[in-house]
Structure formats: C-alpha cells, structure tokens
Amino acid sequence: MERKKRGSALHVNEGVDQPASLNSRWLEQSKKRSRRQLSSAEFVSGILSGDRVVLSKAITLVESNRPGDYQMAQEIIEKCLPYSGDSVRVGITGVPGVGKSSFIEALGTFLIKHGHKLAVLAIDPSSQRSKGSILGDKTRMETLAGSNNAFIRPSPSAGSLGGVARKTRETIILCEAAGYHNVLVETVGVGQSETAVYELVDFFLLLMLSGAGDELQGIKRGIMEMSDAIVINKADGDNVDAARQAERQYANALHLFPAKESGWAPKTNTCSAITGNNIPQVWEMIRQFITLTKKNGAFARKRQEQEIHRMYESINERLQNDLHQNQTVKKMQEEMEQRITRQEVSAYVAAQQVFETYKKSREQG
Ligand code: GDP
C-alpha cells in the first residue's frame, strides 16, 4: 500500500531543506520588521483600517507602564478619539459561574450574525494571572475567538483599579476606531470593579441565577440599583419556571429603587446562554434603552459626565504618580512612618508634612 502511494501522483514528496543561512536571515528580517516600532501615524492608519495586529500592539502600549509607551499611546488615542464614540457600550456583571462568558458568546454570535462587529474586554483588577481572566474563558467564547468580527482582549494584568479602568477606557476608544462599534465589558461581580465598569459603559447589565438569594450571589444592593437590566440566566431545562419566578422577584425589588435620571425604568428578563433563548430579546431591550436615552439626551449627558469623571481620575492618577516618584517625598514618608511608629506624630500631621515637602520640592523645580 505504502509502496503504491509512493508511485502515485497523490504522494507528496518531502521537500528539500532550505539552506539554513537563507532561512535565518529572512527570519531575522521579519523579526526586525515586527519589532520595529511603528510611528503614531502608522498606528492610527492601521487601526482605522481595522488591522487587528496593529490594534493589539496599540493596546499593548496602552497597557504598558513605561513612560515612553504611555506618551505614544496618548498620541494614538488623541488621534483615534474623533473616530470613536459612535458605539454601544454594555457592561456585564454577575458572580463567577453565572454564565457571563457563555452569555457574551451567545450575544456576540447573535450580533455577528446580524452584521455587527464587537469587542469584548474585561476588568478584573484582582486577576494575578498575567494574561488576565478572559483568556481562560476563551473556551466558552470559541465562536467569537475564531471570528474576525469579534475582538477579544483579556483584562490587563493586575494593578490598581483606577489604572485598570483607565487602560480599559482607552482600549475602548481604540477598538471603536477600528470599527468595533459594540463593546461588551465584563467584570466579576465582586468588589469595586462594577462601579469602574459602570463609569465606562452606557448600559449596565446584571446577570443573576434563580434559586439563590442575592446574599448568596454576593450582589450588593448598590449594584442592583446601578443596573439597567437584571437578566436571570440558565433559564433552560427544569430551571425555566424557577427563573421566571426569580425574574418576578427582581422586578418587584427594582420598583423600590428611585427612578433613574435617564428616564429608563430598569427591566428584567430571563435567558439561556446555552440554548440562546431570549438572547435577541435582551439585545432588543438594550436597543430600546439606547433609542430612548438618545432621544431624551440622557445618553450624551452620561457620556459627558463620564468624561468629566475621567478628567478628575486622570488628575488624581498623575498627582499620585508624581508624588510617589519624588525622592525627597519618599525620604520624608519613610521618616514619617518611623515617627508614627514612635507615636511622635499623628497620621494627619505626617500627611500634611509630606504634602508640604512635595509642594516645596515642586516650587524649587
Ligand atoms: P462566568 O464565570 O460567569 O463567566 O460563567 P461561565 O460562562 O464560565 O459559565 C459557568 C458554567 O455555567 C459553565 O459550566 C457553563 O456551561 C454554564 N452555563 C452558562 N450559561 C448557561 C445557561 O444559560 N444554561 C445552563 N444550563 N448552563 C449555563
């Protein structure tokens, strides 16, 4: 059999090895090409033409902590800003296991089928894994991960929540400029990260399960209050009735919250990320929200408020960095730590002295 094949035209002959020198020189050049830093204009034109490799590289600059990269990233973002904004930004939260990744896979697949493009980002400052959290979930986002119409970016590696939120906000701008006009931002429903996501998105969606009290689901009242919709996931199989019952309970609970400034009355629904049941209805709900808030001005107002919030956040971040990088301040802080330990000075007075030192050193240039 083997011998027969050899004689056949179907047999693929083993290729002749290329001379090593040729190969390695070509490889070296190709490495150099990819290593060469693009100019900010090259970055911008790459992003605007939808080049995913360039987009990824630009996001890496945004996530970098090197001052040179930061500068470059800011230049790119400034130029991309006019091309961003025409988008729908949706935040998705819920405890681990509620089905966020599966839901994003289902909603994303639905959107792609209807001709949309989407970016999937995550905020998870607790993640110590260098590759962030979403990547681990990629197995649950198989269709999206394999589609050119979806751009999935894992959460930047652990850092301060403010830092991670800023990086995500800047990543949103780049993704939108690259043509991903639907942005889904996922966060684990524990800690403060929901508030950070709320500050980044237009619509905030809380996924819940039936049959578990909210205490069990670790959801704080404040998060329910922030939500524009509560959707009970896993409404399939034997769980459909329980999900509907939970939905009614959450609908009643939502009535107790004060009316939203946006004029939107938060909605509830049930869905199944696995069967896809009600996924189009959830998207329709989001669209209704966008239509209403664009009409009554709340959409633009919220984005403006977010922008102002971001300015203050950015001022704080810069001040903090400047303060902590100042060597004179550093020495003073160490001295104050010791004096506090010896109970010679109160924390308040110590902080005041550190700040005075900082001010003086700034004045002296
Ligand atoms: P995440 O931690 O919130 O991102 O949740 P995952 O998407 O990883 O889902 C957690 C588990 O719940 C997985 O085993 C999923 O297959 C399952 N799951 C997610 N959505 C549904 C659903 O709608 N119905 C059912 N039956 N299982 C689901």
Side-chain angles (χ1 to χ4, degrees):
M1 187 71 175
E2 194 45 33
R3 206 168 289 147
K4 228 182 191 177
K5 252 192 192 169
R6 276 184 181 278
S8 132
L10 292 174
H11 175 71
V12 180
N13 285 305
E14 279 177 18
V16 180
D17 281 344
Q18 293 293 316
S21 59
L22 236 185
N23 255 346
S24 63
R25 199 183 316 146
W26 182 85
L27 270 175
E28 201 46 43
Q29 279 174 354
S30 136
K31 266 191 201 156
K32 263 191 197 149
R33 267 199 303 275
S34 66
R35 239 188 275 134
R36 184 176 71 84
Q37 179 68 277
L38 301 173
S39 68
S40 65
E42 283 171 325
F43 264 117
V44 175
S45 70
I47 291 168
L48 295 183
S49 71
D51 186 326
R52 296 162 66 98
V53 177
V54 175
L55 173 63
S56 291
K57 281 187 178 174
I59 297 173
T60 304
L61 286 183
V62 163
E63 291 173 354
S64 160
N65 290 322
R66 287 174 41 193
D69 289 347
Y70 179 81
Q71 200 56 40
M72 177 68 129
Q74 295 310 310
E75 263 178 65
I76 300 167
I77 291 160
E78 268 319 293
K79 289 184 188 141
C80 282
L81 257 178
Y83 302 94
S84 73
D86 179 16
S87 57
V88 176
R89 302 169 183 165
V90 179
I92 295 162
T93 193
V95 292
V98 71
K100 293 181 293 298
S101 319
S102 314
F103 175 83
I104 290 171
E105 165 86 349
L107 179 62
T109 310
F110 168 79
L111 288 175
I112 289 173
K113 219 168 84 188
H114 287 80
H116 297 288
K117 290 175 86 173
L118 78 152
V120 180
L121 312 173
I123 286 199
D124 180 7
S126 66
S127 169
Q128 293 298 324
R129 283 167 286 174
S130 61
K131 292 243 162 110
S133 57
I134 272 198
L135 211 62
D137 298 336
K138 265 199 173 177
T139 44
R140 303 232 164 74
M141 294 190 199
E142 258 174 359
T143 319
L144 295 187
S147 167
N148 270 336
N149 292 320
F151 183 83
I152 304 179
R153 182 78 180 189
S155 170
S157 52
S160 73
L161 180 56
V164 173
R166 175 188 55 80
K167 290 168 184 176
T168 308
R169 142 86 184 157
E170 293 174 354
T171 301
I172 290 177
I173 294 170
L174 299 181
C175 288
E176 289 178 1
Y180 299 93
H181 291 297
N182 299 287
V183 181
L184 307 184
V185 188
E186 177 196 336
T187 189
V188 195
V190 284
Q192 292 294 307
S193 52
E194 300 90 345
T195 321
V197 170
Y198 181 78
E199 288 296 339
L200 295 175
V201 298
D202 308 310
F203 189 94
F204 193 69
L205 175 67
L206 173 60
L207 286 183
M208 294 284 240
L209 294 172
S210 62
D214 0 328
E215 309 83 31
L216 275 184
Q217 297 191 38
I219 296 296
K220 288 179 232 81
R221 192 193 133 96
I223 293 165
M224 276 179 61
E225 201 166 348
M226 280 186 324
S227 307
D228 295 301
I230 295 181
V231 174
I232 319 297
N233 189 34
K234 306 197 187 183
D236 44 45
D238 294 343
N239 204 26
V240 174
D241 285 342
R244 289 214 183 106
Q245 197 185 338
E247 185 202 342
R248 279 194 295 275
Q249 283 169 359
Y250 285 119
N252 288 337
L254 283 176
H255 282 313
L256 303 176
F257 293 131
K260 288 189 170 258
E261 262 176 55
S262 61
W264 170 257
K267 303 266 184 297
T268 53
N269 211 331
T270 61
C271 80
S272 168
I274 298 296
T275 66
N277 192 31
N278 262 3
I279 296 291
Q281 283 78 355
V282 173
W283 183 247
E284 181 49 33
M285 184 163 72
I286 296 172
R287 286 196 44 75
Q288 280 175 8
F289 170 91
I290 302 292
T291 307
L292 173 86
T293 55
K294 278 197 169 167
K295 213 165 160 188
N296 70 15
F299 185 91
R301 219 167 33 244
K302 187 169 180 193
R303 285 210 173 172
Q304 282 156 8
E305 281 165 10
Q306 288 173 339
E307 204 55 25
I308 291 171
H309 176 84
R310 210 127 37 224
M311 178 186 75
Y312 285 110
E313 233 175 37
S314 173
I315 293 173
N316 282 342
E317 202 181 328
R318 275 157 192 257
L319 262 179
Q320 270 186 23
N321 286 344
D322 197 42
L323 194 118
H324 292 308
Q325 278 163 14
N326 187 312
Q327 290 307 315
T328 324
V329 169
K330 214 173 182 172
K331 266 192 212 133
M332 188 63 166
Q333 277 173 337
E334 281 162 11
E335 190 187 320
M336 285 302 149
E337 272 189 31
Q338 287 173 8
R339 293 190 60 192
I340 290 175
T341 316
R342 293 198 296 268
Q343 296 187 326
E344 290 171 5
V345 67
S346 74
Y348 177 75
V349 171
Q352 202 174 11
Q353 291 205 22
V354 170
F355 199 70
E356 285 304 322
T357 309
Y358 172 65
K359 262 180 24 190
K360 254 190 219 140
S361 92
R362 291 291 295 170
E363 278 161 19
Q364 285 161 5

